[in-house]
Amino acid sequence: MTSTQPTGVLDVSPVIPVVVIEDVDTAVPLARALASGGVRIVEVTLRSDAALTAIERIATELPDVLVGAGTLTTPAQVKDAVGAGARFLVSPGSTPTLLDAMADTGLPYLPGVSTASEVLAMLERGVTEMKFFPAEAAGGHPFLKALTGPLPRARFCPTGGITPLNAPNYLALPTVGCVGGSWLSPADAVSTGDWTCVTQLATQAASLGLT
Ligand SMILES: O=C(O)C(=O)C[C@H](O)[C@H](O)COP(=O)(O)O
């Protein structure tokens, strides 16, 4: 089946912060701190009980921040994420069932891929923007670079093992729109409410890829 994927999520910021929210009261201050540093996008992983409420609060209180849901592995989670107000969807891998569920929402979505055949399967469906996961473990930027020649139409958000040090290698590739990573929201800073630290990390991230 062929689907048309709403695109553009890769072009909001050089980095999509991937966050795990344990305490729902940290969600809005965290997203606000990221935005203060120039990063107006955040992927809240559905790995905690607080995730859906966190998405709901960010969507309601910070309309200028593009809030998405990550770690989606089932159609039921896709439905819950949309109900909470997620504006984009991210999955670590891609199955036909999950892809259909994400496509049916009409929202932008980034399905996870880590092989040439998975990228081809996405392109066959009309999906051109994907998450390359787990980026470092699956071959890193040399792997993505090797795909550029045969598969130039696919665009990626590499995620998994990305740091401020290796991010520029990915961002230099023509097929990489942005990278994803958890380093902008250190657990210590979030639990102690050190939003200055988060804003500093976001400011640094927002300038990645600029030359
Ligand atoms: O849960 C998901 O769907 C994920 O996206 C897993 C991510 O790769 C990490 O949450 C971010 O990876 P690190 O930046 O290496 O911490």
Side-chain angles (χ1 to χ4, degrees):
M1 131 180 200
T2 301
S3 63
T4 304
Q5 175 198 33
T7 55
V9 173
L10 303 190
D11 302 305
V12 177
S13 162
V15 182
I16 299 180
V18 179
V19 304
V20 180
I21 305 282
E22 299 293 353
D23 172 358
V24 74
D25 289 332
T26 63
V28 168
L30 172 58
R32 192 181 284 127
L34 291 167
S36 295
V39 176
R40 292 177 189 82
I41 185 167
V42 62
E43 173 189 332
V44 179
T45 59
L46 292 207
R47 289 204 236 156
S48 66
D49 292 340
L52 290 171
T53 310
I55 291 170
E56 205 174 314
R57 288 205 193 166
I58 296 168
T60 305
E61 296 185 37
L62 302 174
D64 292 343
V65 173
L66 195 68
V67 60
T71 330
L72 297 172
T73 56
T74 66
Q77 288 178 321
V78 170
K79 193 170 169 223
D80 288 345
V82 174
R87 292 166 63 191
F88 69 95
L89 310 168
V90 187
S91 63
S94 42
T95 69
T97 312
L98 193 56
L99 288 164
D100 286 345
M102 293 196 291
D104 284 350
T105 67
L107 292 174
Y109 58 99
L110 301 176
V113 294
S114 62
T115 67
S117 295
E118 288 170 359
V119 176
L120 274 174
M122 292 307 111
L123 293 173
E124 281 180 5
R125 289 180 63 107
V127 172
T128 56
E129 294 192 345
M130 309 159 211
K131 166 176 175 166
F132 172 47
F133 175 79
E136 282 291 290
H141 71 96
F143 177 91
L144 268 193
K145 188 176 180 186
L147 290 188
T148 306
L151 301 168
R153 283 183 49 235
R155 296 185 74 225
F156 301 97
C157 173
T159 306
I162 310 295
T163 69
L165 289 180
N166 63 21
N169 295 330
Y170 288 94
L171 291 166
L173 298 176
T175 51
V176 169
C178 66
V179 298
S182 64
W183 84 86
L184 287 78
S185 53
D188 282 2
V190 175
S191 65
T192 60
D194 186 355
W195 307 127
T196 305
C197 166
V198 173
T199 296
Q200 280 171 355
L201 290 166
T203 304
Q204 179 195 36
S207 69
L208 283 171
L210 303 176
T211 48

